[in-house]
Structures are given as structure tokens and as C-alpha cells.
Amino acid sequence: MLEYSQMRIDILTLFPTMFCGALQESILKRAQQRGLLHLVIHQIRDYALDRHQMTDDLPYGGGVGMIMKPEPVFRAVRTVLGGTQAPVILLTPQGRTFTHAVAQELAQHPRLMLICGHYEGVDERVRERLIIDELSIGDYVLTGGELAAMVVVDAVARFVPGVLGAAEGAHDDSYAGGLLEGPQYTRPPVFEGRQVPEVLLSGDHARIARWKRAMALQRTLVRRPDLLEAASLSAEDEALLREFRRTLGEPDGVE
Ligand code: ADE
């Protein structure tokens, strides 16, 4: 039996029930059952000491909305970590953009802590003293960091050894090689008159691999040409791209 190291992710949130469901299905459910992934959700309010368990307050200097108070967040982080080292990451639209590469990088740590920002933001002293990294999942503003934290957990977990079965391997996926994945098909071979490309039924593995590469290049060129700059491309890939560009450039777009 292979031994896999497990990863622990602590999530600090004001809305723990948001995490029920999304993290308890499919691959993440299996990973937790198999002890590969240990997810622990903590209610920040439980760490507020005042009578009303306040977690937010008005901003100094005026302005709209409420700010997350520092004390409950500091207590939560210190109590949960208890002296253990782990990167403490804030989910915020001001963070660096979360990508495939960032997910891969975070998966190298045995433990992570994610803090879900809410309201108009967190007291700056939380940023200064507790947070090592800030992540945004895209250039839009969510109502809070919870959905973003779920996205991060899901994408990071895929890189924890053993989480994906052999059949779900991360190697061929879009982004893995810097390209988007090409079209995929399953049975039936003909559906509503539309055929699966003949090459895929040919059993000729070398031809299939060439076709898949060509389709990935074509799809990336059309949808995300920016990715081609960082992708590692062979001379054959470059030749295919020149050909696709030429075809796309033709007025009638002949196939
Ligand atoms: N909180 C609100 N919007 C967010 C975003 N785009 N990414 C991460 N956390 C957020």
C-alpha cells in the first residue's frame, strides 16, 4: 500500500454552513474519507470574547459598511494553530490572482489556513500581523471570501498526492501543460447525426496523441492565445500554430 502524506486546511469563517455540501461530495469527500485531506471549518464568532460576540464594527474615519474586528480573528488563528507553522491566507479581491500554478505551490505545504474576509474588509492589523498571502479568484467582488476559499480548497486538493485516482490524473487537464484541453468524446459514436472524429476510433495511439495535441493548440489559440506565450512548444507545435493562424486569418475560415 502506498503511503500518502495528508494535507490539513483550516478555514476561518463567519458562515460555516456555507461549506456544507460543496466540500462533502465526490473527490473531496473521498479524499477526506481516505485521510488524505483534513478540512476543519472554524466559526470566527466563537472566538469573540465580548457579551454580544461582535465580529464587526464601524470603520474609523467614516465610510460605508462594517470592518471585521481584529480580536476574534487573532484569537482564532492563534488558538487553532497553537504554535504550529502554516501559511495564513486571506481571501480578498485585493489578493494576487489564484491560478493553476498557485494551487500547485500551495499543495506543497502540509497545512494551510484560509481566512474568509467579509463585509467591507478586515482590520489592517490582521493583514500586517497574521496574513502571509492574499488571494483573489478573479476580478469581481463576491459577497465574502467563502466561495473563493472553496475554489482554493478544491483546486489545491487535486495536487495532494493520491487525491485524484489514476483515471482522474491532473496531467492532461487544461492548464497542466500550459494549454487548454481539446474536445473530448464518449459513447455513442454517432449522436444526433454527429460523429466522433474518426481518429479517436482508430486505435492508432501515436496518431491520436498528435490529434489531441493539435486540438489543444487550436483551442488555446482561439480561446486563450495569451497562454501560448508561457507554454513549452516544440517545433512541430509552432508549425501547427502557424498553419492554424493562417487558416483563421482566411476570410471564409475554411476548416
Ligand atoms: N472576496 C470577495 N471577492 C473575492 C474574490 N474575487 N476573490 C477572493 N475573495 C473574495
Side-chain angles (χ1 to χ4, degrees):
M1 235 263 310
L2 278 172
E3 285 287 323
Y4 291 115
S5 61
Q6 76 159 25
M7 174 169 209
R8 172 170 170 156
I9 307 181
D10 292 283
I11 303 172
L12 271 53
T13 172
L14 290 166
F15 302 97
T17 55
M18 281 183 76
F19 293 86
C20 302
L23 303 178
Q24 286 164 3
E25 294 289 342
S26 183
I27 292 173
L28 294 188
K29 174 182 175 180
R30 190 183 63 195
Q32 290 172 87
Q33 284 170 342
R34 290 169 61 204
L36 299 171
L37 183 67
H38 187 37
L39 299 177
V40 192
I41 317 293
H42 307 270
Q43 167 60 275
I44 296 171
R45 194 174 301 283
D46 291 346
Y47 296 89
L49 286 178
D50 65 295
R51 203 154 49 90
H52 300 291
Q53 292 195 293
M54 291 251 300
T55 56
D56 62 330
D57 208 336
L58 295 165
Y60 272 119
V64 289
M66 300 293 273
I67 306 296
M68 279 173 76
K69 287 166 67 62
E71 306 96 312
V73 181
F74 270 75
R75 273 195 83 224
V77 171
R78 286 177 178 155
T79 309
V80 171
L81 286 181
T84 315
Q85 290 299 312
V88 179
I89 301 167
L90 178 69
L91 282 311
T92 160
Q94 297 186 5
R96 65 176 173 137
T97 306
F98 183 65
T99 62
H100 178 89
V102 176
Q104 217 162 0
E105 170 198 319
L106 294 180
Q108 307 308 311
H109 296 275
R111 187 166 179 181
L112 297 176
M113 176 174 274
L114 304 180
I115 302 183
C116 305
H118 236 278
Y119 310 117
E120 282 307 303
V122 294
D123 185 286
E124 191 64 18
R125 290 161 291 188
V126 170
R127 277 204 166 89
E128 288 166 1
R129 304 287 297 159
L130 294 178
I131 303 294
I132 184 90
D133 201 357
E134 300 187 22
L135 294 176
S136 162
I137 62 162
D139 289 343
Y140 39 80
V141 180
L142 301 165
T143 54
E146 283 75 13
L147 288 168
M150 290 182 229
V151 167
V152 169
V153 168
D154 193 284
V156 169
R158 295 178 74 254
F159 291 109
V160 173
V163 165
L164 293 186
E168 304 140 356
H171 46 277
D172 261 356
D173 287 339
S174 291
Y175 297 110
L179 298 180
L180 301 182
E181 211 174 356
Q184 310 227 67
Y185 297 87
T186 185
R187 283 181 289 192
V190 183
F191 176 69
E192 295 192 348
R194 299 196 60 87
Q195 300 248 355
V196 173
E198 174 276 326
V199 53
L200 293 178
L201 312 178
S202 70
D204 181 340
H205 297 297
R207 219 179 120 217
I208 292 173
R210 278 199 306 277
W211 183 85
K212 285 190 172 179
R213 185 73 184 170
M215 290 301 108
L217 286 163
Q218 191 175 43
R219 184 156 282 190
T220 310
L221 177 65
V222 171
R223 299 188 183 190
R224 292 291 307 275
D226 57 300
L227 294 178
L228 291 171
E229 276 152 43
S232 52
L233 302 173
S234 66
E236 198 181 333
D237 292 337
E238 299 282 7
L240 277 167
L241 281 171
R242 274 195 298 278
E243 180 60 23
F244 290 143
R245 284 197 180 99
R246 205 182 54 75
T247 313
L248 288 168
E250 283 178 10
D252 290 333
V254 198
E255 271 207 17

